Amino acid sequence: MAVIWYPGHMHKAQKQIKEVMPQVDLVIEVMDARIPFSSENPVVKELRGPRPCLKVLNKSDLADPAITAQWLNYFSQQEGVRALALTTTRKGEACKILSLCREMVPLRAQRGEPVRTMIMGIPNVGKSTLINALAGRAIAKVGNEPAVTKQQQRISLGNGIVLSDTPGILWPRMENEDSGYRLAVTGAIKNAAISFEEVALYAADFFLLHYPQAVMARYKLSELPVGAIELLEAIGRKRGCLRAGGVTDIHKVSEILLNEFRAGQLGGISLETPAIYETSDEDCGEPVADD
Ligand SMILES: Nc1nc2c(ncn2[C@@H]2O[C@H](COP(=O)(O)OP(=O)(O)OP(=O)(O)O)[C@@H](O)[C@H]2O)c(=O)[nH]1
Ligand SMILES: [Mg+2]
């Protein structure tokens, strides 16, 4: 599932999307609701040009609903953009986007022409799950290697909407260390440069600061540990992750914390709020010049 993106890959992905763009009326950008900043790719704005964009905050079942509401409000203020929170894995939810798609491209709908849509997004945000849910059958592989390029096919969804059967796969934010950690915490990237324990410590730090009640409740802690390592040790004691000599098995605890977060067992947690744009001025690393 993890892709190592380098300028050549980024260039190729962008070129493929540019080629199909003249046949697209509406772009559907899928993001992870827990990390809308790090799972968004600003190059979408450039690629779509004047076309409207529906931003889907997917996996909203795993995010903090109050923060998702802030993000919806944030994105809705952008020119040509509508935003929607979705849990694609929940039966029947995906079709919520269909009427929005028609509303966003009224001219084609009025002329009786289908609205041609294309799904885009970084790996692991749920693009294939969304395509399958909309198509009502399994046409895209889920939780698998990113789709290798093949001929773009169009699937008619009925109700005046057609969809490209291969998503536009984009790269995540990479030049910002915090984004790298947050993407790793959600499982979006497996970066060999960051160890599993480091990712868990990053998550533990964040949870202690922003969701102390959630960790205390989940791990039945009577008091809040003072730091990330102390939190991992406390979880280790509760879950019996001890090695010989009573030493905490930090790798095992890291696995528990990350897996339980990713499965939503700590409750809805968001790792980013829209305020992040005020502290971050980097862009998304433009690929090399077009040929
Ligand atoms: N909890 C939750 N999990 C989801 C949701 N949507 C998708 N997933 C899961 O996220 C994982 C990735 O989903 P995919 O549909 O394969 O993602 P993708 O964007 O196609 O990924 P690539 O093909 O790697 O680019 C799978 O395990 C899905 O079951 C959702 O709304 N909620
Ligand atoms: Mg996929």
Side-chain angles (χ1 to χ4, degrees), residues 94-114:
C95 60
K96 280 186 190 168
I97 73 170
L98 296 177
S99 56
L100 255 180
C101 289
R102 279 192 302 275
E103 250 178 77
M104 290 177 73
V105 194
L107 270 183
R108 282 192 65 94
Q110 278 162 25
R111 284 198 222 116
E113 293 166 339

Side-chain angles (χ1 to χ4, degrees), residues 1 58-62 86-89 122-129 141-147 169:
M1 165 267 283
N58 194 37
K59 308 196 185 187
S60 61
D61 54 323
L62 304 176
L86 217 61
T87 297
T88 306
T89 42
I122 72 160
N124 203 46
V125 286
K127 299 180 297 298
S128 299
T129 309
K141 281 186 184 170
V142 170
N144 218 316
E145 294 294 316
I169 302 179

Side-chain angles (χ1 to χ4, degrees), residues 153-204:
Q153 302 249 321
R154 296 192 170 279
I155 324 146
S156 174
L157 303 179
N159 307 315
I161 312 286
V162 293
L163 178 72
S164 297
D165 75 341
T166 45
I169 302 179
L170 294 166
W171 54 95
R173 295 209 190 238
M174 289 179 298
E175 58 291 281
N176 163 316
E177 197 188 8
D178 275 302
S179 283
Y181 273 111
R182 290 189 290 257
L183 286 154
V185 170
T186 62
I189 57 165
K190 288 187 183 119
N191 188 343
I194 322 177
S195 80
F196 205 62
E197 286 86 347
E198 269 183 277
V199 176
L201 282 169
Y202 185 93

Side-chain angles (χ1 to χ4, degrees), residues 180-253:
Y181 273 111
R182 290 189 290 257
L183 286 154
V185 170
T186 62
I189 57 165
K190 288 187 183 119
N191 188 343
I194 322 177
S195 80
F196 205 62
E197 286 86 347
E198 269 183 277
V199 176
L201 282 169
Y202 185 93
D205 245 337
F206 183 88
F207 298 158
L208 279 176
L209 194 61
H210 298 280
Y211 293 92
Q213 299 304 329
V215 278
M216 286 179 69
R218 176 72 194 169
Y219 300 107
K220 302 187 171 60
L221 307 177
S222 49
E223 55 189 75
L224 195 65
V226 293
I229 189 77
E230 289 79 6
L231 172 58
L232 295 190
E233 282 169 355
I235 298 172
R237 282 193 295 277
K238 288 284 179 181
R239 297 292 178 91
C241 305
L242 297 176
R243 292 206 304 230
V247 183
T248 313
D249 184 341
I250 292 294
H251 188 84
K252 206 166 172 187
V253 182

